[in-house]
């Protein structure tokens, strides 16, 4: 059984002493439904005198600006391409905002064009982990999903990652919501998409990581990776290869192939998968580095880890 309130009747806000996250999904099919869900949310933030952010593509941002009129001056509009560059960087940006605001609540409306992501499932993971990472942060976050564009499978995932769902003007508790530990655990059991054959392959010699970097640099030249992207990828591959050698079992293998950029996949025969969410937050110290996976996540477009009976695979995408 679900409970519901009108969208213009807030469940809780910072003025009422609620210092926990409110993470809801707006499911809409057209601009009218988008505005019906987002306008009350934005006005709630404005009326609370709180920092209010709109992180949406241009057409949705303009629709909100026009509807808000002069009140739009109280809202910070941000291009989603500046925030959603990769999931780990987006998490870092939100963490920085939370730290800058301290106990003050913030209202956020967010949406993006999912078609621009090659590994969209990692953004679903981001949405789930958001509930855990910001559980004690007074964000009032409304994530917007266009049901006329997204597949039914994508909407089903949205329903599993948001504790509340806004449809029409009614905000309801979401019985399909799953706790991040369970949801992310299931994602980590999904096999990675098959790589094309043949892929360029090399065995990683334990004491010759310079050969690994030379191999990756040669493959990167073939797919037009920029100098900055190549530098970041070389640092990331070196970090992952070092940890595979240190924590895994031989043989350690590197495979690469072009795919709107370059994908590098490091596989070993060990089982060294770190704690589930350690790669999503910066390490507290250089000693407790979380295998450097947070840094790797900051450097690459996406990082995917799978561990099973046949070993551990880390797949990096850089474009």
């Amino acid at each position: 059984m679900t409970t519901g309130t009108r969208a213009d009747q807030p469940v809780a806000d910072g003025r009422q002493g609620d210092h926990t996250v409110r993470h809801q999904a707006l499911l809409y099919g057209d601009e009218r439904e988008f505005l019906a869900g987002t306008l009350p949310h934005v006005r709630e933030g404005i009326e609370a005198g709180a920092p209010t952010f709109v992180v949406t593509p241009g057409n949705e941002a303009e629709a909100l600006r026009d509807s808000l009129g002069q009140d739009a001056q109280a809202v910070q509009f941000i291009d989603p391409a500046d925030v959603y560059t990769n999931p780990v960087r987006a998490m870092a940006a939100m963490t920085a905002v939370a730290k800058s605001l301290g106990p003050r609540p913030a209202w956020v409306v967010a949406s993006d064009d999912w078609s621009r992501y090659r590994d969209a499932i990692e953004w679903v993971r981001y949405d789930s982990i958001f509930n855990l990472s910001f559980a004690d942060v007074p964000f009032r976050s409304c994530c917007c999903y266009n049901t006329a564009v997204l597949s039914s499978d994508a909407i089903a995932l949205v329903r599993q990652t948001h504790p509340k769902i806004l449809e029409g003007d009614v905000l309801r508790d979401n019985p399909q919501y799953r706790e991040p530990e369970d949801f992310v655990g299931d994602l980590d059991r999904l096999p990675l998409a098959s790589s094309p054959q043949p892929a360029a392959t090399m065995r990683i010699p334990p004491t010759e990581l310079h050969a690994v970097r030379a191999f990756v640099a040669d493959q990167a030249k073939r797919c037009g990776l920029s100098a900055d992207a190549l530098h970041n990828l070389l640092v990331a591959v070196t970090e992952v290869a070092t940890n595979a050698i240190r924590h895994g079992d031989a043989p350690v293998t590197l495979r690469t192939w072009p795919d709107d950029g370059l994908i590098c996949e490091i596989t070993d025969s060990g089982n060294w998968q770190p704690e589930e969410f350690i790669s999503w937050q910066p390490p507290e110290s250089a000693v407790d580095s979380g295998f450097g996976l947070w840094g790797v996540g900051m450097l690459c477009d996406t990082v995917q880890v799978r561990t099973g009976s046949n070993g551990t695979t880390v797949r990096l995408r850089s474009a």
Side-chain angles (χ1 to χ4, degrees), residues 239 243 247 272 274-275 278-296:
E239 178 66 24
N243 282 288
H247 301 285
W272 59 274
E275 182 184 342
I278 199 166
S279 63
W280 286 81
Q281 293 293 343
E284 294 182 0
S285 68
V287 175
D288 181 23
S289 63
F291 304 115
L293 281 181
W294 179 79
V296 170

Side-chain angles (χ1 to χ4, degrees), residues 148-184:
V149 174
L150 293 173
S151 68
S152 58
D153 288 343
I155 295 299
L157 292 171
V158 167
R159 290 183 179 276
Q160 294 179 64
T161 56
H162 293 78
K164 294 184 180 294
I165 297 290
L166 179 60
E167 293 180 277
D169 62 353
V170 178
L171 181 65
R172 293 186 174 91
D173 292 329
N174 177 19
Q176 295 172 299
Y177 171 71
R178 300 182 63 201
E179 294 297 332
E181 294 86 350
D182 295 331
F183 181 81
V184 171

